Amino acid sequence: MSEERAAEIFRALIMRRESRRALAARPVECEKLRAMLEAARWAPSYGNMQPWRFVLVQEPAALDAMRPAFTPGNAWAKQAPVLVVGTANPQDAKIVAGKEYYLFDLGLAVQNLLLQAVACGLVAHPMGGWDEQTVKQALGVPDEVRVVVVIALGYPGRLEELDEETRRKEQQPRTRKALAEIAFADRWGRPWDAGA
Ligand SMILES: Cc1cc2nc3c(=O)[nH]c(=O)nc-3n(C[C@H](O)[C@H](O)[C@H](O)COP(=O)(O)O)c2cc1C
């Protein structure tokens, strides 16, 4: 494959990833879950410490135990056939100049996982809106381990099955800050210009 073609495919994958809320009940194949976890496993981490640990929640009893954890705004996630819970022990990662790299490392692994999910035709929606103690109790996560993200995973579902408010959110256009706002040339605040 040419470099141009590979870049094009990668860009399409990035653009296809969306935090969608409509999820089908259809189960996710084990092979796809494995591909996602493999993608996460090969993420970089500070000192190759690999502080990430994931709990895949699929059994009805475990899903039931997780559901009370969600904030009202994330009630849609209760329909997900799989929840991927991203955790890390802060002591398993580097702390450099006060920066706790466990969050960064886990974030890199999660992004790999999300992109692999998209490549597998799945929706993977990361969330921070849930109660950590409830999640910990539901899954038996040790005290010293932090639960950082819960990812609602499944095949794309039908928009009509969402409540009105959630459907409205789902239909809002996705936006991003302009490149000039986030990328600087040689000096903080001087917008980087591709044409310069
Ligand atoms: C750490 C993190 C926490 C998030 N928490 C929630 C959440 O609790 N509920 C939700 O609906 N979306 C949540 N999101 C999704 C973001 O709202 C979404 O990524 C952002 O609006 C950009 O949209 P996009 O992912 O479709 O590009 C979260 C995303 C991240 C990375």
Side-chain angles (χ1 to χ4, degrees), residues 17-132:
R17 188 209 57 78
E18 280 185 52
S19 296
R20 301 192 67 81
R21 297 168 183 84
L23 295 166
R26 177 182 164 192
V28 176
E29 297 83 345
C30 189
E31 271 320 298
K32 293 192 173 181
L33 297 175
R34 179 190 291 278
M36 290 170 56
L37 292 168
E38 276 295 328
R41 193 162 77 93
W42 284 100
S45 60
Y46 204 134
N48 203 17
M49 303 280 281
Q50 305 164 63
W52 46 71
R53 300 289 182 272
F54 296 98
V55 184
L56 272 70
V57 187
Q58 289 174 281
E59 278 185 2
L63 286 169
D64 275 351
M66 283 288 289
R67 288 187 180 118
F70 293 117
T71 57
N74 284 335
W76 56 269
K78 296 178 186 177
Q79 304 304 319
V82 186
L83 296 170
V84 181
V85 179
T87 76
N89 184 339
Q91 283 153 23
D92 284 348
K94 297 275 184 194
I95 301 176
V96 183
K99 283 171 283 192
E100 301 209 33
Y101 277 93
Y102 78 97
L103 294 169
F104 188 84
D105 294 348
L106 177 61
L108 290 170
V110 165
Q111 181 66 358
N112 273 12
L113 185 148
L114 298 180
L115 290 175
Q116 183 68 56
V118 175
C120 291
L122 298 163
V123 170
H125 186 147
M127 294 173 290
W130 33 266
D131 178 69
E132 186 171 8

Side-chain angles (χ1 to χ4, degrees), residues 119-170:
C120 291
L122 298 163
V123 170
H125 186 147
M127 294 173 290
W130 33 266
D131 178 69
E132 186 171 8
Q133 277 318 313
T134 309
V135 173
K136 282 185 150 187
Q137 249 177 5
L139 307 178
V141 178
D143 283 347
E144 65 279 15
V145 172
R146 296 303 308 267
V147 180
V148 180
V149 68
V150 176
I151 300 160
L153 181 73
Y155 281 94
R158 289 152 48 86
L159 200 61
E160 307 85 76
E161 280 170 18
L162 295 174
D163 65 78
E164 204 179 316
E165 168 65 9
T166 310
R167 204 179 314 147
R168 191 190 55 75
K169 284 192 206 161
E170 191 82 335

Side-chain angles (χ1 to χ4, degrees), residues 9-23:
I9 290 172
F10 189 66
R11 162 121 181 119
L13 192 63
I14 299 266
M15 294 313 291
R16 196 152 26 108
R17 188 209 57 78
E18 280 185 52
S19 296
R20 301 192 67 81
R21 297 168 183 84
L23 295 166

